[in-house]
Amino acid sequence: MDSIPKYNIRGIDIWGFQRTVELADYLLADGALKTGMLVAINAEKVILAEQDRALCELIQAAKYKYADGVSIVRSIKRKYSDASYLQRIAGIDLWLALMRRAGARGIPVFLVGGEAGVLAKVERKLMTDWGVKIVGSHNGYFKDEERSTLFQLIQKSGAALVTVALGSPKQEIFMRHCQKVYPKALYMGVGGTFDVFSGKVKRAPKAWQHLGLEWLYRILAQPTRLRRVARLFKYACYHYSGRL
């Protein structure tokens, strides 16, 4: 990764991959999927990391941190003159790119998260659309004391790619602990991706995405997200006051 620039926003180092395809190709550049933890960085996660030391440490320990939020991309461009090329890498787009490659190359995949019905739809669609080799799955409803059993299940599956849809910071905590038991995989937190991919939740139209307003669309579609606006406002204050 020596040729990929790194940018620091509020103490978090973020890799400057230009586009989704660039990061997806890099992760498979040597013919085998790299190992480590993939974490999407957006404005809300920056604020959460400042409020939660454990989450901050987990994010810092992640090998691959990429700019998911449009606010993060704008902040990097504001702070660094050589980042004009940078584009947002949406977590769902990166996940789709990796799933296509996993299907084409026979990469074993384990899925964690979502409701049982949603997870079943995701599995069927992945296998039908791209021939993805699903070696195991578990819905997102399990107790803390059941995690060690799930970690062992993932290890025994031999998965090379583990995608975790539990929401932040729960998914980062899960991935970090599972990685200690089974380090031979690439772990990716995917938030609400399973809901979108299964059709349960509608993604923002392309026009909203291009305008950087996907976050607003999600709030309008799911008013329960409104409480998260305070974090976005706090980050905006950092951005416009130059405290990046």
Side-chain angles (χ1 to χ4, degrees), residues 119-190:
L119 185 59
K121 288 181 180 179
V122 170
E123 289 188 65
R124 286 197 299 270
K125 198 168 189 302
L126 287 175
M127 291 187 289
T128 300
D129 290 358
W130 300 315
V132 177
K133 182 181 178 182
I134 307 294
V135 294
S137 66
H138 197 291
N139 64 57
Y141 297 87
F142 52 87
K143 298 177 181 178
D144 287 344
E145 56 267 29
E146 297 174 318
R147 289 194 308 170
S148 60
T149 300
L150 182 50
F151 296 160
Q152 295 296 328
L153 186 63
I154 292 172
Q155 182 180 41
K156 291 178 181 178
S157 75
L161 176 57
V162 181
T163 63
V164 185
L166 298 176
S168 188
K170 190 175 180 180
Q171 63 192 21
E172 284 82 15
I173 295 170
F174 180 93
M175 291 190 295
R176 184 60 175 164
H177 290 170
C178 189
Q179 188 182 35
K180 292 179 180 178
V181 175
Y182 180 56
K184 298 180 180 180
L186 178 68
Y187 292 84
M188 180 181 184
V190 296

Side-chain angles (χ1 to χ4, degrees), residues 191-244:
T193 293
F194 291 178
D195 287 340
V196 175
F197 187 68
S198 68
K200 179 183 177 182
V201 173
K202 185 179 179 182
R203 190 178 181 186
K206 290 290 185 182
W208 288 65
Q209 295 177 41
H210 291 154
L211 290 171
L213 295 174
E214 195 165 2
W215 62 273
L216 178 59
Y217 181 88
R218 290 199 298 266
I219 288 173
L220 294 174
Q222 297 174 279
T224 54
R225 288 175 171 261
L226 191 59
R227 55 189 170 81
R228 302 163 74 172
V229 172
R231 298 184 190 121
L232 300 178
F233 178 76
K234 185 174 182 178
Y235 184 85
C237 291
Y238 286 154
H239 176 88
Y240 289 109
S241 64
R243 291 178 289 162
L244 299 171

Side-chain angles (χ1 to χ4, degrees), residues 41-110:
I41 303 298
N42 56 30
E44 184 179 19
K45 197 164 292 181
V46 169
I47 300 303
L48 284 172
E50 292 185 342
Q51 297 170 346
D52 187 333
R53 183 169 181 175
L55 175 61
C56 181
E57 291 175 352
L58 289 170
I59 291 175
Q60 295 292 4
K63 192 171 184 180
Y64 308 103
K65 294 179 280 285
Y66 60 96
D68 183 336
V70 65
S71 296
I72 295 295
V73 171
R74 288 172 179 169
S75 291
I76 291 174
K77 289 181 177 181
R78 181 185 179 94
K79 187 175 180 180
Y80 295 92
S81 60
D82 66 337
S84 59
Y85 65 88
L86 198 67
Q87 297 179 28
R88 176 196 177 208
I89 297 178
I92 185 170
D93 292 334
L94 179 59
W95 182 81
L96 291 170
L98 289 175
M99 289 299 107
R100 291 189 187 98
R101 287 162 174 75
R105 303 192 185 196
I107 295 170
V109 174
F110 198 107

